[in-house]
Amino acid sequence: MEIRQIDARYVAPTYRRNDIVLERGQGSRLYDETGKEYLDLGSGIAVNGLGMCNPAWVQAVQAQTAQLAHTSNLYYSEPCALLARALCERTGMERVFFSNSGAEANECAIKCARKYSYDRYGAGRGTVLSLRMSFHGRTIATLTATGQDAMHDGFDPLPGGFRYVPADDIEALRAENAGDVCAVICELVQGEGGVRALDPAYVRALRALCDERDWIWIADEVQTGNGRTGTLYAYQQYGVAPDVVTTAKGLGGGLPIGATMFNARTCGVLGAGAHGSTFGGNPIVCAGALAVLDQIDDGLLAQVRDKAAYIRDRLAACKGVRAISGMGLMIGIETDDASAKVRACAERGLLVLTAKDKLRLLPALNIPQADLERAMDILTEVLA
Ligand SMILES: *Cc1c(COP(=O)(O)O)cnc(C)c1O
């Protein structure tokens, strides 16, 4: 049987797949089973931030695989410790909990916020506020935190303790004064919800309100993190710091990882036995992530900003583009019939994504300029 038929018969039908079987990749180029080449502006949904088969990442993962693949969290191991230190030194956060996905990173953040509040104020203050059109994951709690009613349909009863407020509306947040709130969770740029960056004035006011009410501010940087927006984490462009930062996707360079970073206020909340993960902090995954983080230096971040400006210039001059949104190399394009355009691009050898009814670009941070120019030639042709 053909791969498509085996998959269609045996894999749970939760994904609407593109009609392409990918077989291998190198940098920002992917190849299907017939050898057809694609330029990739999706990066495995912001995962392959350094492209496919990044040499330092491959080397780190291979070496660690041959040395020590797994230890359990009953023992120390070097890659986990070094990755936690590197993340803290680059962000100013104090400690890190490792898991295996974005949803798990957010689960940990939610547990931390509730425990912080419980330890100080007792029961009845466990509500987490999230923004309309947010996306925080697919587990039952992070799905509930996700502010999109359509995604909740059919999964009742959802856990209690979540409420939603409109994005960029500080008065709506201020009106949440019933005394039952412990935290606010938000993406700095809403990804799945349509590539919408939050207003800096709103984010600063949100930070101030969290301080005033002793709420934990959780920044979900699963998609915006790891260089995607032009700084290591997007909050670093807003001039304020969260109490908890979650990340995943691009940190692993292609292997599953989640990281929940705590500041001085939250780093002591989850003590021994309060949380855990069998695979969290896995040596192979952490060795790979260290190789990724090492490469997201000032030079690469400057490249991200330059490439983002180049893409925006090309799009601004392009017919068929109604508006451009996002930050850095997280780009939303308002246009007609985005899904048809995804298919038209694929026919021409270009892979792009959608977010709601927009086209979405998440190219590798290090996409070679020549590949990017060729990709934009195809994209602008399709858009026009
Ligand atoms: C992808 C994503 C998640 C979920 O990550 P998983 O690894 O799929 O669990 C959570 N939050 C945001 C902002 C995301 O983009």
Side-chain angles (χ1 to χ4, degrees):
M1 258 202 278
E2 227 231 321
I3 298 300
R4 286 174 178 76
Q5 291 167 326
I6 300 170
D7 185 295
R9 164 63 184 82
Y10 291 106
V11 177
T14 59
Y15 303 106
R16 258 185 300 275
R17 298 202 198 278
N18 291 281
D19 189 26
I20 298 170
V21 181
L22 291 174
E23 209 170 67
R24 63 194 174 87
Q26 191 56 242
S28 284
R29 297 176 187 208
L30 292 163
Y31 301 87
D32 72 10
E33 88 283 26
T34 69
K36 178 175 172 181
E37 182 180 271
Y38 297 87
L39 289 166
D40 177 23
L41 294 186
S43 304
I45 317 185
V47 166
N48 305 311
L50 300 174
M52 300 299 301
C53 300
N54 174 257
W57 178 82
V58 170
Q59 159 64 31
V61 166
Q62 285 180 338
Q64 189 61 47
T65 305
Q67 185 182 323
L68 181 73
H70 180 76
T71 61
S72 92
N73 283 304
L74 300 175
Y75 309 99
Y76 296 103
S77 73
E78 184 178 79
C80 169
L82 297 188
L83 180 61
R85 181 176 68 183
L87 284 168
C88 289
E89 287 178 354
R90 301 274 308 265
T91 57
M93 303 299 280
E94 290 288 329
R95 287 174 184 269
V96 188
F97 178 86
F98 291 114
S99 54
N100 314 285
S101 66
E104 283 174 86
N106 286 334
E107 289 273 348
C108 174
I110 292 164
K111 283 180 71 174
C112 172
R114 286 188 174 160
K115 183 78 162 51
Y116 172 89
S117 184
Y118 183 85
D119 289 347
R120 295 187 151 212
Y121 305 99
R125 197 176 178 277
T127 297
V128 175
L129 302 175
S130 70
L131 304 187
R132 295 255 168 231
M133 297 309 287
S134 56
F135 182 82
H136 299 296
R138 300 288 200 158
T139 62
I140 200 80
T142 60
L143 172 70
T144 307
T146 293
Q148 302 186 46
D149 294 340
M151 295 180 89
H152 296 167
D153 284 352
F155 297 111
D156 278 342
L158 295 173
F162 293 92
R163 279 202 304 274
Y164 314 96
V165 289
D168 282 343
D169 182 344
I170 194 65
E171 289 316 316
L173 201 59
R174 209 181 295 282
E176 289 289 346
N177 56 6
D180 64 339
V181 172
C182 66
V184 182
I185 184 169
C186 66
E187 302 149 272
L188 276 315
V189 184
Q190 294 188 330
E192 304 305 311
V195 199
R196 297 176 353 117
L198 291 185
D199 176 6
Y202 173 74
V203 173
R204 285 193 297 273
L206 182 158
R207 171 73 277 183
L209 191 62
C210 286
D211 286 338
E212 187 186 311
R213 302 211 176 147
D214 203 12
W215 294 350
I216 298 300
W217 175 29
I218 303 165
D220 177 346
E221 296 240 26
V222 170
Q223 191 163 151
T224 52
N226 312 299
R228 176 60 45 196
T229 67
T231 46
L232 185 58
Y233 292 97
Y235 77 81
Q236 294 168 323
Q237 291 175 65
Y238 282 83
V240 284
D243 300 301
V244 178
V245 178
T246 62
T247 195
K249 294 196 166 99
L251 181 60
L255 284 172
I257 191 169
T260 309
M261 297 180 249
F262 307 108
N263 71 358
R265 192 170 169 205
T266 54
C267 70
V269 172
L270 296 174
H275 199 46
S277 163
T278 296
F279 282 112
N282 172 274
I284 298 172
V285 175
C286 288
L290 254 180
V292 168
L293 204 54
D294 274 350
Q295 292 175 77
I296 308 176
D297 56 12
D298 290 345
L300 184 67
L301 292 170
Q303 260 192 63
V304 169
R305 296 189 291 268
D306 289 347
K307 290 182 205 294
Y310 171 79
I311 294 173
R312 271 155 215 277
D313 285 349
R314 290 288 306 263
L315 291 173
C318 176
K319 273 212 307 260
V321 175
R322 279 200 303 276
I324 309 162
S325 66
M327 244 169 101
L329 288 178
M330 186 170 174
I331 296 172
I333 305 168
E334 264 180 54
T335 184
D336 294 328
D337 203 352
S339 309
K341 286 181 171 134
V342 169
R343 289 190 296 274
C345 285
E347 273 166 33
R348 292 166 171 78
L350 175 68
L351 301 183
V352 296
L353 305 167
T354 57
K356 291 285 168 283
D357 52 4
K358 291 182 185 176
L359 276 182
R360 173 171 45 153
L361 309 182
L362 298 167
L365 312 184
N366 63 354
I367 183 172
Q369 187 63 21
D371 284 2
L372 181 57
E373 286 175 17
R374 174 85 194 104
M376 292 308 295
D377 290 345
I378 300 171
L379 180 62
T380 51
E381 190 186 299
V382 167
L383 281 164

